[in-house]
Amino acid sequence: MFKALVVNKDEDGTVTQTIDTLDESQLPEGDVTVAVSHSTLNYKDGLCVNATGGLVRNFPHVPGIDFAGTVESSDDPRYKAGDKVVLTGWRVGEAHWGGYAQKARVKADWLVPLPDGLSPAQAMAVGTAGFTAMLAVMALEDHGLRPDQGPVLVTGAAGGVGSVATAILANLGYDVAGVTGRPEQEEYLKMLGANSVVPREDMATPSGRPLDRETWAGCVDAVGGGMVTKVLTQLKYGGSVAAVGLAGGAAMESATVVPFLLRGVNLLGIDSVMQPYDNRLRAWQRIVKDLPMDKLESMVQPATLSDLPQLGKDILKGQVKGRVVVDVNA
Ligand code: NDP
C-alpha cells in the first residue's frame, strides 16, 4: 500500500484532489516499479492538479511530471532493485500516473540513472523545469552563443525554468538580464547571478516596429506571446531565442519575418518531453557540471503532497518562486 495525490473530475466538471491509500495492483503498466522519494511542481503540474488545459484525459489520475527515487523491482535488464533513477517527460503525470505518489510504475526507456553527484532531492530541485533550462542553454550554445557576445535575456526569471537558466548562464560567465513581473525578487535574481533585472512591463508589449535596437545575444524564454515577439526584434545579428514556455500566452501577435530575414536570428523550440536517452543523459551531466548546488538550494521551497492543491493554483497565477520540491514521504 502507498499514498498518492489523486485527482478526480466528475461528469459535472467538479475537480477534487485527495490523498488516497492505493494498492500496487492499481499502478499502470510498466517494466520498472520505483519507490519515489521526491517529485516537484512545474507549470504543467499546476494544469494537471487542477484538471485544466486538457492534458489529463482519464480520471482518477495521479499527477507529477517528474520524480526521483529507487528502483524497487524491474523486468528490464538495464535496472535492478536499489538503483537510483530520475524521470522527466514522456507524458508521465499527464497520460500515465506520475510522481505525486510513494510508488510509480513506468517504462524503463523513460528513466535515466541518477547522475553521480546528485541526490534524489537535488535532482528534483532541478526537475523538469531545470532540465529544460539546461536544454535551452545547450541549444543556444549549439547555435553559437558565447559569453563575449553580449547580454543574454531570461524571461519569467523568478519562475522555475527562469531561475535555473539564470544560475546556469551566470555560472558559465554570461551577462544575464532577468525579466520579472515581481520587483521584490530583484535581490533573489541577483543572488542567482543576474547582472541586471528588467521589469516585465518593459518587455511585455512589442514596439510595433519590425526591428528594434540590437540588444540581446540570446534569450531563454519561458513566457511566450508578446514577450518572445519583442525579444526577436531586439536580438543581435545571428542571435537565438530558445522558446521554452507560454506562461504569458501562446499567440505571437504582430510578429514579422523581418528579424529572420535581416538579422539572421533563430527561434529554437525546446521540448523536454520526448528527449532521447542520450540527450537526457548529456543534459543531466551538464547540470551536475554547470549548475552550482548552493544556488540550486537557494531556489528550493519544500512541500508535501497535501500542499499541492494550493501550490498547483499558485503556479498557474505566476506566484511560485524558484523550484518546489515535494517529499512524497513527508
Ligand atoms: P513558473 O510558473 O515557475 O514560471 C513562469 C514565470 O513566468 C513566472 O514565475 C513569472 O515570472 C512569469 N509569468 C507568469 N505569468 C506571466 C504573464 N502573464 N506574463 C509574463 N510573465 C509571466 O513555471 P515554469 O518555470 O515551471 O514553466 C514556465 C513555462 O515553461 C510554462 O509555460 C511551462 O509549461 C513551460 N515548460 C516547458 C517545457 C518544455 O519542455 N518546453 C518544460 C518545462 C516548462 P516572473 O514573476 O519572474 O515574471
Side-chain angles (χ1 to χ4, degrees), residues 41-44 128-129 132 156-162 179-182 200 222-223 227 243-248 270-273 315 317-318 320 322-323:
L41 179 77
N42 300 274
Y43 189 87
K44 252 189 192 173
T128 302
T132 308
V161 174
V179 181
T180 184
R182 291 180 273 183
R200 184 189 292 176
V223 169
M227 202 166 297
V244 168
L246 40 61
I270 305 299
D271 172 34
S272 65
V273 178
I315 198 164
K317 290 190 236 147
V320 169
R323 300 283 302 130

PDB file of all heavy atoms in Angstrom, residues 41-44 128-129 132 156-162 179-182 200 222-223 227 243-248 270-273 315 317-318 320 322-323, ligand 1:
ATOM      1  N   LEU A  41       7.015  20.582  -8.502  1.00  0.00           N
ATOM      2  CA  LEU A  41       5.869  21.300  -9.075  1.00  0.00           C
ATOM      3  C   LEU A  41       6.363  22.117 -10.261  1.00  0.00           C
ATOM      4  O   LEU A  41       7.201  22.998 -10.102  1.00  0.00           O
ATOM      5  CB  LEU A  41       5.261  22.231  -8.028  1.00  0.00           C
ATOM      6  CG  LEU A  41       4.074  23.055  -8.528  1.00  0.00           C
ATOM      7  CD1 LEU A  41       2.806  22.213  -8.599  1.00  0.00           C
ATOM      8  CD2 LEU A  41       3.834  24.262  -7.625  1.00  0.00           C
ATOM      9  N   ASN A  42       5.837  21.791 -11.438  1.00  0.00           N
ATOM     10  CA  ASN A  42       6.106  22.565 -12.646  1.00  0.00           C
ATOM     11  C   ASN A  42       4.790  23.187 -13.097  1.00  0.00           C
ATOM     12  O   ASN A  42       3.717  22.808 -12.620  1.00  0.00           O
ATOM     13  CB  ASN A  42       6.632  21.644 -13.752  1.00  0.00           C
ATOM     14  CG  ASN A  42       7.924  20.953 -13.346  1.00  0.00           C
ATOM     15  OD1 ASN A  42       8.995  21.499 -13.515  1.00  0.00           O
ATOM     16  ND2 ASN A  42       7.817  19.764 -12.775  1.00  0.00           N
ATOM     17  N   TYR A  43       4.882  24.105 -14.050  1.00  0.00           N
ATOM     18  CA  TYR A  43       3.670  24.767 -14.554  1.00  0.00           C
ATOM     19  C   TYR A  43       2.633  23.735 -15.028  1.00  0.00           C
ATOM     20  O   TYR A  43       1.445  23.823 -14.712  1.00  0.00           O
ATOM     21  CB  TYR A  43       4.075  25.711 -15.688  1.00  0.00           C
ATOM     22  CG  TYR A  43       2.980  26.620 -16.168  1.00  0.00           C
ATOM     23  CD1 TYR A  43       2.756  27.856 -15.558  1.00  0.00           C
ATOM     24  CD2 TYR A  43       2.166  26.248 -17.227  1.00  0.00           C
ATOM     25  CE1 TYR A  43       1.747  28.694 -16.000  1.00  0.00           C
ATOM     26  CE2 TYR A  43       1.161  27.068 -17.670  1.00  0.00           C
ATOM     27  CZ  TYR A  43       0.959  28.292 -17.068  1.00  0.00           C
ATOM     28  OH  TYR A  43      -0.046  29.116 -17.506  1.00  0.00           O
ATOM     29  N   LYS A  44       3.127  22.720 -15.751  1.00  0.00           N
ATOM     30  CA  LYS A  44       2.222  21.662 -16.251  1.00  0.00           C
ATOM     31  C   LYS A  44       1.554  20.906 -15.108  1.00  0.00           C
ATOM     32  O   LYS A  44       0.418  20.452 -15.228  1.00  0.00           O
ATOM     33  CB  LYS A  44       3.032  20.654 -17.062  1.00  0.00           C
ATOM     34  CG  LYS A  44       2.800  20.714 -18.544  1.00  0.00           C
ATOM     35  CD  LYS A  44       3.496  19.527 -19.176  1.00  0.00           C
ATOM     36  CE  LYS A  44       3.551  19.684 -20.662  1.00  0.00           C
ATOM     37  NZ  LYS A  44       4.356  18.620 -21.273  1.00  0.00           N
ATOM     38  N   THR A 128      11.926  18.959 -14.004  1.00  0.00           N
ATOM     39  CA  THR A 128      11.663  19.203 -15.428  1.00  0.00           C
ATOM     40  C   THR A 128      12.011  20.638 -15.810  1.00  0.00           C
ATOM     41  O   THR A 128      12.586  20.883 -16.873  1.00  0.00           O
ATOM     42  CB  THR A 128      10.184  18.916 -15.750  1.00  0.00           C
ATOM     43  OG1 THR A 128       9.905  17.570 -15.387  1.00  0.00           O
ATOM     44  CG2 THR A 128       9.895  19.107 -17.226  1.00  0.00           C
ATOM     45  N   ALA A 129      11.684  21.591 -14.923  1.00  0.00           N
ATOM     46  CA  ALA A 129      11.951  22.994 -15.251  1.00  0.00           C
ATOM     47  C   ALA A 129      13.447  23.229 -15.451  1.00  0.00           C
ATOM     48  O   ALA A 129      13.875  23.847 -16.432  1.00  0.00           O
ATOM     49  CB  ALA A 129      11.407  23.903 -14.153  1.00  0.00           C
ATOM     50  N   THR A 132      14.892  21.462 -18.474  1.00  0.00           N
ATOM     51  CA  THR A 132      14.539  22.195 -19.692  1.00  0.00           C
ATOM     52  C   THR A 132      15.393  23.453 -19.835  1.00  0.00           C
ATOM     53  O   THR A 132      15.805  23.813 -20.947  1.00  0.00           O
ATOM     54  CB  THR A 132      13.043  22.563 -19.652  1.00  0.00           C
ATOM     55  OG1 THR A 132      12.307  21.375 -19.386  1.00  0.00           O
ATOM     56  CG2 THR A 132      12.577  23.172 -20.956  1.00  0.00           C
ATOM     57  N   GLY A 156      10.531  35.385 -17.465  1.00  0.00           N
ATOM     58  CA  GLY A 156       9.927  34.584 -16.388  1.00  0.00           C
ATOM     59  C   GLY A 156      11.007  34.181 -15.401  1.00  0.00           C
ATOM     60  O   GLY A 156      11.021  33.070 -14.884  1.00  0.00           O
ATOM     61  N   ALA A 157      11.923  35.124 -15.129  1.00  0.00           N
ATOM     62  CA  ALA A 157      13.197  34.770 -14.472  1.00  0.00           C
ATOM     63  C   ALA A 157      13.021  34.235 -13.061  1.00  0.00           C
ATOM     64  O   ALA A 157      13.816  33.411 -12.616  1.00  0.00           O
ATOM     65  CB  ALA A 157      14.130  35.974 -14.477  1.00  0.00           C
ATOM     66  N   ALA A 158      12.003  34.689 -12.333  1.00  0.00           N
ATOM     67  CA  ALA A 158      11.845  34.209 -10.944  1.00  0.00           C
ATOM     68  C   ALA A 158      11.120  32.871 -10.874  1.00  0.00           C
ATOM     69  O   ALA A 158      11.008  32.286  -9.797  1.00  0.00           O
ATOM     70  CB  ALA A 158      11.113  35.252 -10.104  1.00  0.00           C
ATOM     71  N   GLY A 159      10.603  32.369 -11.994  1.00  0.00           N
ATOM     72  CA  GLY A 159       9.938  31.069 -12.029  1.00  0.00           C
ATOM     73  C   GLY A 159      10.948  29.928 -12.065  1.00  0.00           C
ATOM     74  O   GLY A 159      12.163  30.145 -11.927  1.00  0.00           O
ATOM     75  N   GLY A 160      10.446  28.703 -12.251  1.00  0.00           N
ATOM     76  CA  GLY A 160      11.306  27.521 -12.194  1.00  0.00           C
ATOM     77  C   GLY A 160      12.333  27.470 -13.306  1.00  0.00           C
ATOM     78  O   GLY A 160      13.541  27.392 -13.056  1.00  0.00           O
ATOM     79  N   VAL A 161      11.879  27.514 -14.560  1.00  0.00           N
ATOM     80  CA  VAL A 161      12.806  27.471 -15.695  1.00  0.00           C
ATOM     81  C   VAL A 161      13.747  28.673 -15.620  1.00  0.00           C
ATOM     82  O   VAL A 161      14.972  28.546 -15.775  1.00  0.00           O
ATOM     83  CB  VAL A 161      12.038  27.488 -17.036  1.00  0.00           C
ATOM     84  CG1 VAL A 161      13.007  27.601 -18.206  1.00  0.00           C
ATOM     85  CG2 VAL A 161      11.158  26.250 -17.187  1.00  0.00           C
ATOM     86  N   GLY A 162      13.165  29.844 -15.360  1.00  0.00           N
ATOM     87  CA  GLY A 162      13.947  31.088 -15.366  1.00  0.00           C
ATOM     88  C   GLY A 162      15.019  31.099 -14.294  1.00  0.00           C
ATOM     89  O   GLY A 162      16.166  31.505 -14.551  1.00  0.00           O
ATOM     90  N   VAL A 179      14.091  39.047 -16.751  1.00  0.00           N
ATOM     91  CA  VAL A 179      12.823  39.783 -16.822  1.00  0.00           C
ATOM     92  C   VAL A 179      11.893  39.230 -15.759  1.00  0.00           C
ATOM     93  O   VAL A 179      11.664  38.017 -15.707  1.00  0.00           O
ATOM     94  CB  VAL A 179      12.141  39.595 -18.193  1.00  0.00           C
ATOM     95  CG1 VAL A 179      10.837  40.391 -18.239  1.00  0.00           C
ATOM     96  CG2 VAL A 179      13.058  39.999 -19.321  1.00  0.00           C
ATOM     97  N   THR A 180      11.366  40.105 -14.925  1.00  0.00           N
ATOM     98  CA  THR A 180      10.408  39.647 -13.920  1.00  0.00           C
ATOM     99  C   THR A 180       9.284  40.661 -13.732  1.00  0.00           C
ATOM    100  O   THR A 180       9.502  41.864 -13.875  1.00  0.00           O
ATOM    101  CB  THR A 180      11.095  39.358 -12.563  1.00  0.00           C
ATOM    102  OG1 THR A 180      10.114  38.819 -11.669  1.00  0.00           O
ATOM    103  CG2 THR A 180      11.711  40.596 -11.933  1.00  0.00           C
ATOM    104  N   GLY A 181       8.105  40.126 -13.406  1.00  0.00           N
ATOM    105  CA  GLY A 181       6.978  40.990 -13.050  1.00  0.00           C
ATOM    106  C   GLY A 181       6.924  41.221 -11.547  1.00  0.00           C
ATOM    107  O   GLY A 181       5.987  41.834 -11.052  1.00  0.00           O
ATOM    108  N   ARG A 182       7.917  40.675 -10.828  1.00  0.00           N
ATOM    109  CA  ARG A 182       7.923  40.798  -9.360  1.00  0.00           C
ATOM    110  C   ARG A 182       9.172  41.566  -8.940  1.00  0.00           C
ATOM    111  O   ARG A 182      10.227  40.964  -8.691  1.00  0.00           O
ATOM    112  CB  ARG A 182       7.915  39.403  -8.729  1.00  0.00           C
ATOM    113  CG  ARG A 182       6.595  38.675  -8.939  1.00  0.00           C
ATOM    114  CD  ARG A 182       6.611  37.296  -8.313  1.00  0.00           C
ATOM    115  NE  ARG A 182       7.154  36.280  -9.191  1.00  0.00           N
ATOM    116  CZ  ARG A 182       7.223  34.984  -8.880  1.00  0.00           C
ATOM    117  NH1 ARG A 182       6.791  34.570  -7.722  1.00  0.00           N
ATOM    118  NH2 ARG A 182       7.729  34.128  -9.745  1.00  0.00           N
ATOM    119  N   ARG A 200       8.968  43.490 -16.152  1.00  0.00           N
ATOM    120  CA  ARG A 200       8.146  42.789 -17.141  1.00  0.00           C
ATOM    121  C   ARG A 200       7.472  43.749 -18.111  1.00  0.00           C
ATOM    122  O   ARG A 200       7.396  43.486 -19.310  1.00  0.00           O
ATOM    123  CB  ARG A 200       7.081  41.956 -16.430  1.00  0.00           C
ATOM    124  CG  ARG A 200       6.253  41.112 -17.372  1.00  0.00           C
ATOM    125  CD  ARG A 200       5.071  40.457 -16.685  1.00  0.00           C
ATOM    126  NE  ARG A 200       5.461  39.448 -15.731  1.00  0.00           N
ATOM    127  CZ  ARG A 200       4.585  38.795 -14.954  1.00  0.00           C
ATOM    128  NH1 ARG A 200       3.298  39.053 -15.025  1.00  0.00           N
ATOM    129  NH2 ARG A 200       5.001  37.879 -14.109  1.00  0.00           N
ATOM    130  N   ALA A 222      10.589  31.763 -21.194  1.00  0.00           N
ATOM    131  CA  ALA A 222       9.577  30.889 -20.570  1.00  0.00           C
ATOM    132  C   ALA A 222       8.182  31.492 -20.677  1.00  0.00           C
ATOM    133  O   ALA A 222       7.226  30.903 -20.200  1.00  0.00           O
ATOM    134  CB  ALA A 222       9.935  30.666 -19.101  1.00  0.00           C
ATOM    135  N   VAL A 223       8.066  32.656 -21.305  1.00  0.00           N
ATOM    136  CA  VAL A 223       6.822  33.432 -21.234  1.00  0.00           C
ATOM    137  C   VAL A 223       6.019  33.395 -22.536  1.00  0.00           C
ATOM    138  O   VAL A 223       4.790  33.342 -22.515  1.00  0.00           O
ATOM    139  CB  VAL A 223       7.146  34.887 -20.810  1.00  0.00           C
ATOM    140  CG1 VAL A 223       5.947  35.800 -20.972  1.00  0.00           C
ATOM    141  CG2 VAL A 223       7.624  34.915 -19.363  1.00  0.00           C
ATOM    142  N   MET A 227       6.047  38.757 -25.419  1.00  0.00           N
ATOM    143  CA  MET A 227       7.431  38.915 -24.960  1.00  0.00           C
ATOM    144  C   MET A 227       8.420  38.309 -25.948  1.00  0.00           C
ATOM    145  O   MET A 227       9.427  38.930 -26.286  1.00  0.00           O
ATOM    146  CB  MET A 227       7.599  38.303 -23.575  1.00  0.00           C
ATOM    147  CG  MET A 227       8.787  38.901 -22.888  1.00  0.00           C
ATOM    148  SD  MET A 227       8.924  38.618 -21.124  1.00  0.00           S
ATOM    149  CE  MET A 227       7.546  39.391 -20.387  1.00  0.00           C
ATOM    150  N   ALA A 243      12.844  29.026 -27.134  1.00  0.00           N
ATOM    151  CA  ALA A 243      11.452  29.181 -26.674  1.00  0.00           C
ATOM    152  C   ALA A 243      11.061  27.948 -25.886  1.00  0.00           C
ATOM    153  O   ALA A 243      10.975  26.842 -26.429  1.00  0.00           O
ATOM    154  CB  ALA A 243      10.530  29.365 -27.871  1.00  0.00           C
ATOM    155  N   VAL A 244      10.815  28.173 -24.588  1.00  0.00           N
ATOM    156  CA  VAL A 244      10.558  27.060 -23.682  1.00  0.00           C
ATOM    157  C   VAL A 244       9.084  26.986 -23.291  1.00  0.00           C
ATOM    158  O   VAL A 244       8.526  25.905 -23.165  1.00  0.00           O
ATOM    159  CB  VAL A 244      11.432  27.232 -22.415  1.00  0.00           C
ATOM    160  CG1 VAL A 244      11.003  26.288 -21.320  1.00  0.00           C
ATOM    161  CG2 VAL A 244      12.897  27.046 -22.750  1.00  0.00           C
ATOM    162  N   GLY A 245       8.460  28.144 -23.083  1.00  0.00           N
ATOM    163  CA  GLY A 245       7.125  28.093 -22.492  1.00  0.00           C
ATOM    164  C   GLY A 245       6.206  29.209 -22.907  1.00  0.00           C
ATOM    165  O   GLY A 245       6.558  30.062 -23.738  1.00  0.00           O
ATOM    166  N   LEU A 246       5.009  29.158 -22.330  1.00  0.00           N
ATOM    167  CA  LEU A 246       3.966  30.107 -22.707  1.00  0.00           C
ATOM    168  C   LEU A 246       3.209  30.627 -21.482  1.00  0.00           C
ATOM    169  O   LEU A 246       2.002  30.854 -21.531  1.00  0.00           O
ATOM    170  CB  LEU A 246       3.010  29.484 -23.738  1.00  0.00           C
ATOM    171  CG  LEU A 246       2.607  28.026 -23.561  1.00  0.00           C
ATOM    172  CD1 LEU A 246       1.883  27.745 -22.272  1.00  0.00           C
ATOM    173  CD2 LEU A 246       1.800  27.547 -24.741  1.00  0.00           C
ATOM    174  N   ALA A 247       3.956  30.833 -20.379  1.00  0.00           N
ATOM    175  CA  ALA A 247       3.304  31.288 -19.146  1.00  0.00           C
ATOM    176  C   ALA A 247       2.552  32.602 -19.360  1.00  0.00           C
ATOM    177  O   ALA A 247       1.589  32.895 -18.660  1.00  0.00           O
ATOM    178  CB  ALA A 247       4.339  31.441 -18.032  1.00  0.00           C
ATOM    179  N   GLY A 248       2.965  33.381 -20.355  1.00  0.00           N
ATOM    180  CA  GLY A 248       2.302  34.667 -20.629  1.00  0.00           C
ATOM    181  C   GLY A 248       1.416  34.620 -21.862  1.00  0.00           C
ATOM    182  O   GLY A 248       0.905  35.663 -22.283  1.00  0.00           O
ATOM    183  N   ILE A 270      12.152  24.305 -27.740  1.00  0.00           N
ATOM    184  CA  ILE A 270      12.721  23.365 -26.768  1.00  0.00           C
ATOM    185  C   ILE A 270      11.611  22.458 -26.255  1.00  0.00           C
ATOM    186  O   ILE A 270      10.632  22.929 -25.683  1.00  0.00           O
ATOM    187  CB  ILE A 270      13.335  24.128 -25.567  1.00  0.00           C
ATOM    188  CG1 ILE A 270      14.358  25.165 -26.043  1.00  0.00           C
ATOM    189  CG2 ILE A 270      13.956  23.151 -24.565  1.00  0.00           C
ATOM    190  CD1 ILE A 270      15.549  24.600 -26.793  1.00  0.00           C
ATOM    191  N   ASP A 271      11.783  21.159 -26.462  1.00  0.00           N
ATOM    192  CA  ASP A 271      10.797  20.203 -25.960  1.00  0.00           C
ATOM    193  C   ASP A 271      11.502  19.203 -25.060  1.00  0.00           C
ATOM    194  O   ASP A 271      12.322  18.413 -25.521  1.00  0.00           O
ATOM    195  CB  ASP A 271      10.114  19.470 -27.114  1.00  0.00           C
ATOM    196  CG  ASP A 271       9.235  18.351 -26.589  1.00  0.00           C
ATOM    197  OD1 ASP A 271       8.650  18.523 -25.504  1.00  0.00           O
ATOM    198  OD2 ASP A 271       9.148  17.294 -27.248  1.00  0.00           O
ATOM    199  N   SER A 272      11.173  19.228 -23.785  1.00  0.00           N
ATOM    200  CA  SER A 272      11.834  18.299 -22.853  1.00  0.00           C
ATOM    201  C   SER A 272      11.152  16.944 -22.818  1.00  0.00           C
ATOM    202  O   SER A 272      11.699  15.987 -22.281  1.00  0.00           O
ATOM    203  CB  SER A 272      11.825  18.897 -21.438  1.00  0.00           C
ATOM    204  OG  SER A 272      10.496  19.005 -20.972  1.00  0.00           O
ATOM    205  N   VAL A 273       9.933  16.857 -23.377  1.00  0.00           N
ATOM    206  CA  VAL A 273       9.101  15.669 -23.147  1.00  0.00           C
ATOM    207  C   VAL A 273       9.627  14.441 -23.876  1.00  0.00           C
ATOM    208  O   VAL A 273       9.707  13.359 -23.310  1.00  0.00           O
ATOM    209  CB  VAL A 273       7.631  15.966 -23.537  1.00  0.00           C
ATOM    210  CG1 VAL A 273       6.770  14.730 -23.358  1.00  0.00           C
ATOM    211  CG2 VAL A 273       7.091  17.110 -22.694  1.00  0.00           C
ATOM    212  N   ILE A 315       0.926  28.318  -8.942  1.00  0.00           N
ATOM    213  CA  ILE A 315       1.884  28.350 -10.065  1.00  0.00           C
ATOM    214  C   ILE A 315       1.200  28.834 -11.340  1.00  0.00           C
ATOM    215  O   ILE A 315       1.809  29.522 -12.154  1.00  0.00           O
ATOM    216  CB  ILE A 315       2.606  26.995 -10.258  1.00  0.00           C
ATOM    217  CG1 ILE A 315       3.881  27.219 -11.102  1.00  0.00           C
ATOM    218  CG2 ILE A 315       1.717  25.928 -10.886  1.00  0.00           C
ATOM    219  CD1 ILE A 315       4.889  26.090 -11.077  1.00  0.00           C
ATOM    220  N   LYS A 317      -0.919  31.101 -11.467  1.00  0.00           N
ATOM    221  CA  LYS A 317      -1.014  32.573 -11.363  1.00  0.00           C
ATOM    222  C   LYS A 317       0.367  33.221 -11.382  1.00  0.00           C
ATOM    223  O   LYS A 317       0.489  34.425 -11.146  1.00  0.00           O
ATOM    224  CB  LYS A 317      -1.741  32.936 -10.058  1.00  0.00           C
ATOM    225  CG  LYS A 317      -3.218  32.584 -10.077  1.00  0.00           C
ATOM    226  CD  LYS A 317      -3.924  33.191  -8.882  1.00  0.00           C
ATOM    227  CE  LYS A 317      -4.639  32.132  -8.083  1.00  0.00           C
ATOM    228  NZ  LYS A 317      -4.712  32.358  -6.653  1.00  0.00           N
ATOM    229  N   GLY A 318       1.421  32.441 -11.619  1.00  0.00           N
ATOM    230  CA  GLY A 318       2.776  33.015 -11.657  1.00  0.00           C
ATOM    231  C   GLY A 318       3.261  33.446 -10.294  1.00  0.00           C
ATOM    232  O   GLY A 318       4.101  34.336 -10.177  1.00  0.00           O
ATOM    233  N   VAL A 320       4.640  31.355  -7.868  1.00  0.00           N
ATOM    234  CA  VAL A 320       5.619  30.485  -7.219  1.00  0.00           C
ATOM    235  C   VAL A 320       7.015  30.952  -7.593  1.00  0.00           C
ATOM    236  O   VAL A 320       7.280  31.276  -8.749  1.00  0.00           O
ATOM    237  CB  VAL A 320       5.390  29.011  -7.642  1.00  0.00           C
ATOM    238  CG1 VAL A 320       6.542  28.135  -7.211  1.00  0.00           C
ATOM    239  CG2 VAL A 320       4.086  28.494  -7.035  1.00  0.00           C
ATOM    240  N   GLY A 322      11.057  30.134  -7.897  1.00  0.00           N
ATOM    241  CA  GLY A 322      12.045  29.055  -7.956  1.00  0.00           C
ATOM    242  C   GLY A 322      11.408  27.691  -8.107  1.00  0.00           C
ATOM    243  O   GLY A 322      10.479  27.506  -8.881  1.00  0.00           O
ATOM    244  N   ARG A 323      11.910  26.732  -7.323  1.00  0.00           N
ATOM    245  CA  ARG A 323      11.525  25.340  -7.503  1.00  0.00           C
ATOM    246  C   ARG A 323      10.878  24.770  -6.243  1.00  0.00           C
ATOM    247  O   ARG A 323      11.445  24.862  -5.153  1.00  0.00           O
ATOM    248  CB  ARG A 323      12.784  24.517  -7.836  1.00  0.00           C
ATOM    249  CG  ARG A 323      13.479  24.983  -9.086  1.00  0.00           C
ATOM    250  CD  ARG A 323      12.762  24.513 -10.336  1.00  0.00           C
ATOM    251  NE  ARG A 323      12.665  23.085 -10.360  1.00  0.00           N
ATOM    252  CZ  ARG A 323      11.516  22.408 -10.582  1.00  0.00           C
ATOM    253  NH1 ARG A 323      10.399  23.036 -10.823  1.00  0.00           N
ATOM    254  NH2 ARG A 323      11.510  21.087 -10.582  1.00  0.00           N
TER     255      ARG A 323
HETATM  256  P1  NDP B   1       6.721  29.057 -13.353  1.00  0.00           P
HETATM  257  O1  NDP B   1       5.313  29.448 -13.052  1.00  0.00           O
HETATM  258  O2  NDP B   1       7.598  28.608 -12.242  1.00  0.00           O
HETATM  259  O3  NDP B   1       7.448  30.282 -14.071  1.00  0.00           O
HETATM  260  C1  NDP B   1       6.831  31.058 -15.061  1.00  0.00           C
HETATM  261  C2  NDP B   1       7.203  32.507 -14.820  1.00  0.00           C
HETATM  262  O4  NDP B   1       6.719  33.290 -15.914  1.00  0.00           O
HETATM  263  C3  NDP B   1       6.526  33.110 -13.589  1.00  0.00           C
HETATM  264  O5  NDP B   1       7.227  32.825 -12.413  1.00  0.00           O
HETATM  265  C4  NDP B   1       6.564  34.579 -13.938  1.00  0.00           C
HETATM  266  O6  NDP B   1       7.894  35.039 -13.704  1.00  0.00           O
HETATM  267  C5  NDP B   1       6.352  34.568 -15.459  1.00  0.00           C
HETATM  268  N1  NDP B   1       4.950  34.806 -15.822  1.00  0.00           N
HETATM  269  C6  NDP B   1       3.855  34.148 -15.356  1.00  0.00           C
HETATM  270  N2  NDP B   1       2.725  34.640 -15.913  1.00  0.00           N
HETATM  271  C7  NDP B   1       3.130  35.629 -16.744  1.00  0.00           C
HETATM  272  C8  NDP B   1       2.436  36.532 -17.603  1.00  0.00           C
HETATM  273  N3  NDP B   1       1.100  36.511 -17.705  1.00  0.00           N
HETATM  274  N4  NDP B   1       3.161  37.416 -18.319  1.00  0.00           N
HETATM  275  C9  NDP B   1       4.502  37.447 -18.218  1.00  0.00           C
HETATM  276  N5  NDP B   1       5.217  36.631 -17.419  1.00  0.00           N
HETATM  277  C10 NDP B   1       4.541  35.726 -16.701  1.00  0.00           C
HETATM  278  O7  NDP B   1       6.645  27.949 -14.485  1.00  0.00           O
HETATM  279  P2  NDP B   1       7.841  27.029 -15.060  1.00  0.00           P
HETATM  280  O8  NDP B   1       9.109  27.775 -14.962  1.00  0.00           O
HETATM  281  O9  NDP B   1       7.713  25.673 -14.495  1.00  0.00           O
HETATM  282  O10 NDP B   1       7.409  26.930 -16.591  1.00  0.00           O
HETATM  283  C11 NDP B   1       7.473  28.083 -17.424  1.00  0.00           C
HETATM  284  C12 NDP B   1       6.902  27.756 -18.794  1.00  0.00           C
HETATM  285  O11 NDP B   1       7.732  26.796 -19.429  1.00  0.00           O
HETATM  286  C13 NDP B   1       5.492  27.156 -18.753  1.00  0.00           C
HETATM  287  O12 NDP B   1       4.753  27.622 -19.861  1.00  0.00           O
HETATM  288  C14 NDP B   1       5.765  25.671 -18.883  1.00  0.00           C
HETATM  289  O13 NDP B   1       4.670  24.955 -19.392  1.00  0.00           O
HETATM  290  C15 NDP B   1       6.936  25.689 -19.839  1.00  0.00           C
HETATM  291  N6  NDP B   1       7.758  24.497 -19.781  1.00  0.00           N
HETATM  292  C16 NDP B   1       8.055  23.898 -20.965  1.00  0.00           C
HETATM  293  C17 NDP B   1       8.843  22.805 -21.022  1.00  0.00           C
HETATM  294  C18 NDP B   1       9.232  22.255 -22.349  1.00  0.00           C
HETATM  295  O14 NDP B   1       9.591  21.090 -22.451  1.00  0.00           O
HETATM  296  N7  NDP B   1       9.194  23.050 -23.392  1.00  0.00           N
HETATM  297  C19 NDP B   1       9.313  22.140 -19.784  1.00  0.00           C
HETATM  298  C20 NDP B   1       9.040  22.895 -18.576  1.00  0.00           C
HETATM  299  C21 NDP B   1       8.252  24.023 -18.598  1.00  0.00           C
HETATM  300  P3  NDP B   1       8.184  36.475 -13.052  1.00  0.00           P
HETATM  301  O15 NDP B   1       7.332  36.550 -11.825  1.00  0.00           O
HETATM  302  O16 NDP B   1       9.646  36.454 -12.782  1.00  0.00           O
HETATM  303  O17 NDP B   1       7.779  37.477 -14.089  1.00  0.00           O
END
